[in-house]
Amino acid sequence: WVSSLTVELQLFWILWLFGLEYALQSTSEIDGANRDYKIRPLQILTKQLLPPTRKLYETISLNILSEETWNVQVCDKVRTLLEMAVVMKVLSKEFSSKIERGLRGSHPFLIPSLTLWTPLSFVTEYGVIYVKSIVPSCRRRGATKKTSSSSSLQDTCRWLQYWVLHTLFQAVLNWWSGILWWIPFSTHIVFLLWCRLPFCSEEWYRILEGELSAFGILGELDDDNNDNDSANYYSPKTLEDTLTVRVASQLWTSALKHLPSSAKDDHNN
């Protein structure tokens, strides 16, 4: 009965969240009145959940260790080491820039990462919830306030790409949750992947877009929009070039190699 009740509650939640607003709009159009309803679901969620969520984010990610202190005490010193590594040709300049950019952007994840030091997965699960839900929501709101009108559209597109990948990644984790439960420290690995997602969202979205276009789900991609980043642009021309087919082919070939052959059976007999 618990499972049935959970399904009913999920159905009620979906209907309330996605159906009520359209029902109110249709009722207003039928009555011929232009009412400004104050009980829209998204308005209720934003008003009730956003302030405490923002306060929690500021307390954990901003007040305990300020971003300025993190940049001066850690990032600037690491940048000096990275510049030395570039001069000594140990690292490339591009890879060094990626490390520095990732280090500066990892400040909100610093305090939650302390949950990685415990072998108890349920403690790390709280860190996973924080980095996958609270951090991107609050950073998106803060970025919206700071960006100018000229770059707001690009920033919005970048965050839309992130939330598309966020949804797909969460769906994959839910699908494989039964298997991940048996893998040691799987929650710690999931935590690191959630922390990595904001920095790779554009690159991973290109891969997703290229895969969908190759399979005919999306239309043909416009290469003109990617001239400035053509080196990293992923655009498979045929199905054999897609990452999905290549991975599936490798898995199939590996599985066939581990199957017993008839020649070995005849030799053993």
Side-chain angles (χ1 to χ4, degrees):
W1 67 271
V2 176
S3 177
S4 301
L5 178 61
T6 303
V7 173
E8 295 295 334
L9 291 176
Q10 290 177 350
L11 178 60
F12 173 78
W13 169 262
I14 294 175
L15 291 176
W16 178 76
L17 183 61
F18 297 103
L20 181 60
E21 184 165 355
Y22 291 102
L24 293 176
Q25 183 178 358
S26 301
T27 303
S28 178
E29 292 176 355
I30 294 175
D31 295 342
N34 186 14
R35 298 188 180 92
D36 184 16
Y37 291 97
K38 302 300 183 182
I39 56 173
R40 297 183 184 274
L42 293 179
Q43 292 180 352
I44 295 176
L45 292 177
T46 302
K47 183 178 180 180
Q48 299 297 328
L49 297 181
L50 190 58
T53 301
R54 181 66 185 178
K55 184 177 181 180
L56 179 64
Y57 172 77
E58 292 177 350
T59 302
I60 296 178
S61 297
L62 300 181
N63 295 339
I64 296 180
L65 179 63
S66 65
E67 186 175 1
E68 182 180 0
T69 303
W70 171 256
N71 291 333
V72 173
Q73 298 296 329
V74 178
C75 297
D76 291 345
K77 296 179 180 179
V78 173
R79 182 179 61 182
T80 303
L81 297 177
L82 292 175
E83 291 176 351
M84 294 176 59
V86 171
V87 172
M88 298 173 62
K89 297 184 178 180
V90 178
L91 298 176
S92 63
K93 187 175 182 180
E94 181 181 359
F95 187 68
S96 174
S97 300
K98 289 183 178 180
I99 295 177
E100 182 181 357
R101 185 167 58 252
L103 188 63
R104 293 186 182 276
S106 62
H107 170 257
F109 307 110
L110 183 62
I111 302 301
S113 64
L114 296 178
T115 59
L116 293 173
W117 296 97
T118 172
L120 303 176
S121 60
F122 75 90
V123 177
T124 311
E125 188 66 33
Y126 289 103
V128 172
I129 295 174
Y130 183 84
V131 299
K132 79 174 184 179
S133 301
I134 296 179
V135 171
S137 299
C138 295
R139 291 184 69 180
R140 170 68 181 95
R141 185 173 178 84
T144 303
K145 294 181 178 180
K146 294 180 181 180
T147 53
S148 59
S149 57
S150 59
S151 60
S152 60
L153 180 59
Q154 182 179 2
D155 182 73
T156 301
C157 292
R158 183 168 61 251
W159 277 103
L160 284 175
Q161 293 174 357
Y162 168 81
W163 285 113
V164 169
L165 295 174
H166 184 284
T167 303
L168 293 177
F169 187 44
Q170 183 63 53
V172 172
L173 291 178
N174 292 337
W175 182 266
W176 292 94
S177 59
I179 298 177
L180 292 175
W181 190 84
W182 294 94
I183 300 178
F185 299 102
S186 60
T187 309
H188 298 66
I189 299 175
V190 171
F191 179 94
L192 296 176
L193 290 176
W194 279 118
C195 293
R196 181 63 178 166
L197 183 59
F199 304 101
C200 301
S201 59
E202 294 184 50
E203 179 181 356
W204 291 357
Y205 187 83
R206 291 194 193 102
I207 296 176
L208 174 63
E209 197 175 40
E211 295 284 300
L212 295 178
S213 177
F215 280 93
I217 301 176
L218 292 179
E220 186 176 355
L221 300 180
D222 187 7
D223 296 340
D224 295 337
N225 296 331
N226 300 279
D227 291 340
N228 296 330
D229 197 16
S230 58
N232 297 325
Y233 182 56
Y234 177 79
S235 179
K237 301 301 181 182
T238 62
L239 290 179
E240 289 75 12
D241 297 334
T242 60
L243 183 62
T244 303
V245 174
R246 284 184 292 168
V247 172
S249 177
Q250 292 178 359
L251 292 176
W252 178 255
T253 303
S254 178
L256 291 179
K257 289 181 180 179
H258 290 82
L259 291 176
S261 61
S262 58
K264 291 184 179 180
D265 293 340
D266 295 339
H267 178 72
N268 293 332
N269 293 332

